[in-house]
Amino acid sequence: MTTGAEVDTRQTGRDLSRVVFTRDEIQERVTEMAAEITEAYRAEDQILVLGLLKGSFIFLADLVRQIRHPLQVDFLVASSYGNATTTSGEVNLLYDPEASVENRSVILVEDIIDSGTTMNRLMPMLEDRGPRSLEVCALLHKRVAKLDREPRWVGFDAPLEFLVGYGLDYGEEFRHLPFIGSL
Ligand code: IMP
Ligand code: MG
Protein backbone atom coordinates (compact mmCIF):
# COMPACT_ATOMS: atom_id res chain seq x y z
CA MET A 1 0.00 0.00 0.00
CA THR A 2 1.23 3.47 -0.77
CA THR A 3 1.27 6.05 1.99
CA GLY A 4 1.82 8.85 -0.47
CA ALA A 5 5.09 9.62 1.28
CA GLU A 6 7.29 8.29 -1.46
CA VAL A 7 8.39 10.97 -3.86
CA ASP A 8 8.61 9.98 -7.49
CA THR A 9 11.24 12.28 -8.95
CA ARG A 10 9.93 11.53 -12.42
CA GLN A 11 6.84 13.45 -11.28
CA THR A 12 8.51 16.26 -9.32
CA GLY A 13 11.39 16.73 -11.75
CA ARG A 14 13.73 17.40 -8.84
CA ASP A 15 14.32 16.50 -5.21
CA LEU A 16 12.18 18.22 -2.61
CA SER A 17 13.59 18.71 0.88
CA ARG A 18 10.72 16.81 2.53
CA VAL A 19 7.10 15.73 2.37
CA VAL A 20 5.10 17.87 4.78
CA PHE A 21 1.58 16.42 4.32
CA THR A 22 1.07 13.07 2.62
CA ARG A 23 -1.67 12.32 0.16
CA ASP A 24 -3.49 10.24 2.79
CA GLU A 25 -3.23 12.95 5.47
CA ILE A 26 -4.63 15.52 3.05
CA GLN A 27 -7.49 13.29 1.91
CA GLU A 28 -8.47 12.46 5.48
CA ARG A 29 -8.48 16.12 6.52
CA VAL A 30 -10.42 17.28 3.44
CA THR A 31 -13.10 14.68 4.20
CA GLU A 32 -13.36 16.04 7.76
CA MET A 33 -13.60 19.63 6.52
CA ALA A 34 -16.34 18.73 4.03
CA ALA A 35 -18.29 17.09 6.86
CA GLU A 36 -17.90 20.22 9.01
CA ILE A 37 -19.06 22.42 6.15
CA THR A 38 -22.03 20.14 5.47
CA GLU A 39 -22.93 20.43 9.16
CA ALA A 40 -22.72 24.25 9.09
CA TYR A 41 -25.24 24.85 6.30
CA ARG A 42 -28.75 23.83 5.34
CA ALA A 43 -30.04 22.76 1.94
CA GLU A 44 -31.73 26.13 1.32
CA ASP A 45 -28.62 28.25 1.99
CA GLN A 46 -27.69 28.74 -1.68
CA ILE A 47 -24.04 27.97 -1.21
CA LEU A 48 -21.53 29.49 -3.60
CA VAL A 49 -18.05 28.00 -3.33
CA LEU A 50 -15.60 30.56 -4.68
CA GLY A 51 -12.17 29.20 -5.41
CA LEU A 52 -9.16 31.44 -5.55
CA LEU A 53 -7.22 30.38 -8.63
CA LYS A 54 -4.98 28.83 -9.32
CA GLY A 55 -3.79 27.39 -6.04
CA SER A 56 -7.16 26.15 -4.76
CA PHE A 57 -8.19 24.09 -7.78
CA ILE A 58 -7.32 20.62 -6.49
CA PHE A 59 -8.41 21.29 -2.91
CA LEU A 60 -11.71 22.73 -4.12
CA ALA A 61 -12.34 19.79 -6.44
CA ASP A 62 -11.79 17.29 -3.63
CA LEU A 63 -13.78 19.37 -1.13
CA VAL A 64 -16.96 20.14 -3.09
CA ARG A 65 -17.43 16.52 -4.10
CA GLN A 66 -17.92 15.69 -0.42
CA ILE A 67 -20.23 18.55 0.59
CA ARG A 68 -23.76 17.17 0.91
CA HIS A 69 -25.74 20.24 -0.15
CA PRO A 70 -26.73 21.81 -3.45
CA LEU A 71 -24.09 24.39 -4.35
CA GLN A 72 -22.55 26.38 -7.16
CA VAL A 73 -18.86 26.76 -7.95
CA ASP A 74 -17.08 29.76 -9.39
CA PHE A 75 -13.56 31.12 -9.32
CA LEU A 76 -11.67 34.32 -8.69
CA VAL A 77 -8.24 35.10 -9.99
CA ALA A 78 -6.23 37.42 -7.81
CA SER A 79 -2.56 37.92 -8.09
CA SER A 80 -0.25 38.99 -5.31
CA TYR A 81 2.78 36.86 -6.13
CA GLY A 82 4.63 37.07 -9.41
CA ASN A 83 6.63 33.96 -9.99
CA ALA A 84 8.66 34.54 -6.86
CA THR A 85 8.41 33.37 -3.28
CA THR A 86 8.03 36.82 -1.80
CA THR A 87 4.83 38.85 -1.69
CA SER A 88 4.46 42.08 -3.63
CA GLY A 89 1.85 43.41 -1.19
CA GLU A 90 -0.48 44.31 -4.03
CA VAL A 91 -3.57 42.28 -4.95
CA ASN A 92 -5.08 42.52 -8.41
CA LEU A 93 -8.35 40.88 -9.46
CA LEU A 94 -7.69 39.40 -12.86
CA TYR A 95 -10.97 37.52 -13.11
CA ASP A 96 -14.23 38.29 -11.36
CA PRO A 97 -16.87 35.59 -10.85
CA GLU A 98 -19.85 35.51 -13.14
CA ALA A 99 -22.02 34.04 -10.41
CA SER A 100 -23.77 36.64 -8.30
CA VAL A 101 -22.58 36.80 -4.70
CA GLU A 102 -25.67 38.68 -3.52
CA ASN A 103 -27.77 36.74 -1.01
CA ARG A 104 -25.63 33.66 -1.36
CA SER A 105 -23.78 31.77 1.37
CA VAL A 106 -20.27 32.29 0.05
CA ILE A 107 -17.37 30.03 0.99
CA LEU A 108 -14.08 31.46 -0.24
CA VAL A 109 -11.59 28.64 -0.76
CA GLU A 110 -7.88 29.44 -0.44
CA ASP A 111 -4.88 27.15 -0.79
CA ILE A 112 -2.70 28.88 1.80
CA ILE A 113 -2.72 31.97 3.96
CA ASP A 114 0.73 33.45 4.31
CA SER A 115 1.00 37.23 4.80
CA GLY A 116 -2.79 37.56 4.72
CA THR A 117 -2.64 40.31 2.12
CA THR A 118 -4.87 38.42 -0.31
CA MET A 119 -7.57 37.69 2.29
CA ASN A 120 -7.52 41.17 3.80
CA ARG A 121 -7.99 42.74 0.37
CA LEU A 122 -10.58 40.31 -1.01
CA MET A 123 -12.94 40.01 1.94
CA PRO A 124 -14.19 43.63 1.94
CA MET A 125 -14.62 43.49 -1.85
CA LEU A 126 -16.84 40.41 -1.54
CA GLU A 127 -18.62 41.73 1.57
CA ASP A 128 -19.63 44.82 -0.48
CA ARG A 129 -21.58 42.59 -2.85
CA GLY A 130 -24.11 41.65 -0.19
CA PRO A 131 -23.64 37.93 0.42
CA ARG A 132 -25.96 36.28 2.95
CA SER A 133 -22.79 35.07 4.66
CA LEU A 134 -19.10 34.95 3.83
CA GLU A 135 -16.67 32.41 5.26
CA VAL A 136 -13.14 31.36 4.40
CA CYS A 137 -11.98 27.79 4.05
CA ALA A 138 -8.19 27.53 3.75
CA LEU A 139 -6.27 24.32 3.34
CA LEU A 140 -3.13 25.76 4.95
CA HIS A 141 -2.46 28.61 7.34
CA LYS A 142 1.04 29.77 8.26
CA ARG A 143 -0.34 31.63 11.32
CA VAL A 144 1.86 34.66 10.77
CA ALA A 145 -0.75 36.91 9.15
CA LYS A 146 -2.56 39.74 10.89
CA LEU A 147 -6.00 38.96 9.50
CA ASP A 148 -9.02 41.21 9.78
CA ARG A 149 -11.01 37.98 10.10
CA GLU A 150 -9.74 34.44 10.70
CA PRO A 151 -10.85 31.67 8.34
CA ARG A 152 -13.70 29.55 9.67
CA TRP A 153 -12.13 26.31 8.41
CA VAL A 154 -8.40 25.53 8.24
CA GLY A 155 -6.97 22.23 7.07
CA PHE A 156 -3.53 22.38 8.61
CA ASP A 157 -1.24 24.86 10.32
CA ALA A 158 1.66 25.14 7.92
CA PRO A 159 5.38 25.39 8.73
CA LEU A 160 7.15 28.58 7.68
CA GLU A 161 8.63 26.97 4.61
CA PHE A 162 7.81 27.37 0.93
CA LEU A 163 5.33 24.61 0.17
CA VAL A 164 4.43 23.07 -3.16
CA GLY A 165 2.00 20.46 -4.45
CA TYR A 166 -1.75 19.80 -4.22
CA GLY A 167 -2.36 23.04 -6.12
CA LEU A 168 0.51 25.06 -4.69
CA ASP A 169 3.18 26.14 -7.12
CA TYR A 170 6.66 27.48 -7.35
CA GLY A 171 6.94 29.31 -10.68
CA GLU A 172 3.89 27.36 -11.92
CA GLU A 173 5.60 24.02 -11.29
CA PHE A 174 4.57 21.28 -8.84
CA ARG A 175 0.81 21.99 -8.69
CA HIS A 176 0.01 18.46 -9.79
CA LEU A 177 1.69 16.64 -6.91
CA PRO A 178 -0.82 14.69 -4.79
CA PHE A 179 1.08 15.54 -1.59
CA ILE A 180 2.48 18.78 -0.13
CA GLY A 181 6.21 19.13 0.07
CA SER A 182 8.78 21.73 1.02
CA LEU A 183 11.15 23.02 -1.66
P1 IMP B 1 -0.76 35.95 1.18
O1 IMP B 1 -1.50 37.01 0.42
O2 IMP B 1 0.64 36.37 1.55
O3 IMP B 1 -1.53 35.39 2.36
O4 IMP B 1 -0.47 34.77 0.17
C1 IMP B 1 -1.46 34.03 -0.37
C2 IMP B 1 -1.04 33.42 -1.69
O5 IMP B 1 0.39 33.34 -1.83
C3 IMP B 1 -1.52 31.99 -1.75
O6 IMP B 1 -2.79 31.92 -2.32
C4 IMP B 1 -0.45 31.31 -2.58
O7 IMP B 1 -0.78 31.39 -3.96
C5 IMP B 1 0.81 32.09 -2.33
N1 IMP B 1 1.65 31.41 -1.31
C6 IMP B 1 1.90 31.79 -0.04
N2 IMP B 1 2.70 30.93 0.59
C7 IMP B 1 2.98 29.95 -0.31
C8 IMP B 1 3.77 28.74 -0.23
O8 IMP B 1 4.37 28.36 0.78
N3 IMP B 1 3.79 28.00 -1.37
C9 IMP B 1 3.13 28.35 -2.52
N4 IMP B 1 2.39 29.47 -2.61
C10 IMP B 1 2.32 30.26 -1.52
MG1 MG C 1 0.85 30.91 -6.26
Side-chain angles (χ1 to χ4, degrees):
M1 198 191 79
T2 173
T3 60
E6 303 85 7
V7 176
D8 182 346
T9 51
R10 288 172 304 181
Q11 188 179 35
T12 58
R14 71 183 232 194
D15 285 328
L16 298 179
S17 55
R18 69 188 182 102
V19 173
V20 179
F21 301 107
T22 67
R23 176 188 207 137
D24 289 356
E25 284 167 345
I26 296 167
Q27 293 305 324
E28 195 178 312
R29 187 69 189 113
V30 172
T31 297
E32 284 173 5
M33 294 174 89
E36 286 169 23
I37 291 169
T38 298
E39 193 63 37
Y41 294 90
R42 296 163 307 152
E44 56 275 22
D45 281 341
Q46 304 205 60
I47 300 169
L48 172 65
V49 178
L50 263 188
L52 202 49
L53 287 177
K54 300 170 192 172
S56 73
F57 83 110
I58 295 179
F59 173 43
L60 182 143
D62 283 346
L63 187 73
V64 291
R65 283 180 289 176
Q66 301 182 75
I67 297 175
R68 304 290 179 233
H69 288 303
L71 58 78
Q72 293 183 3
V73 173
D74 210 332
F75 294 95
L76 280 172
V77 183
S79 121
S80 67
Y81 274 63
N83 278 334
T85 54
T86 50
T87 185
S88 66
E90 205 181 303
V91 176
N92 300 310
L93 257 198
L94 308 175
Y95 171 78
D96 218 6
E98 289 162 14
S100 173
V101 160
E102 200 180 336
N103 283 325
R104 303 202 67 104
S105 302
V106 177
I107 304 173
L108 184 63
V109 177
E110 253 277 48
D111 54 353
I112 185 165
I113 298 174
D114 182 8
S115 72
T117 308
T118 311
M119 283 293 98
N120 286 341
R121 296 282 166 87
L122 282 182
M123 294 295 275
M125 290 170 62
L126 291 171
E127 220 38 286
D128 278 352
R129 298 176 187 189
R132 177 190 298 200
S133 64
L134 175 61
E135 300 290 353
V136 174
C137 176
L139 178 66
L140 300 161
H141 194 338
K142 288 189 180 171
R143 304 285 180 194
V144 289
K146 249 189 128 29
L147 294 175
D148 299 330
R149 214 169 101 207
E150 284 297 326
R152 175 141 175 208
W153 297 285
V154 174
F156 302 100
D157 285 357
L160 300 181
E161 297 165 33
F162 199 82
L163 305 177
V164 295
Y166 199 69
L168 292 129
D169 75 303
Y170 173 65
E172 295 303 325
E173 303 289 335
F174 310 112
R175 292 194 197 275
H176 65 309
L177 307 180
F179 59 88
I180 293 168
S182 183
L183 269 193

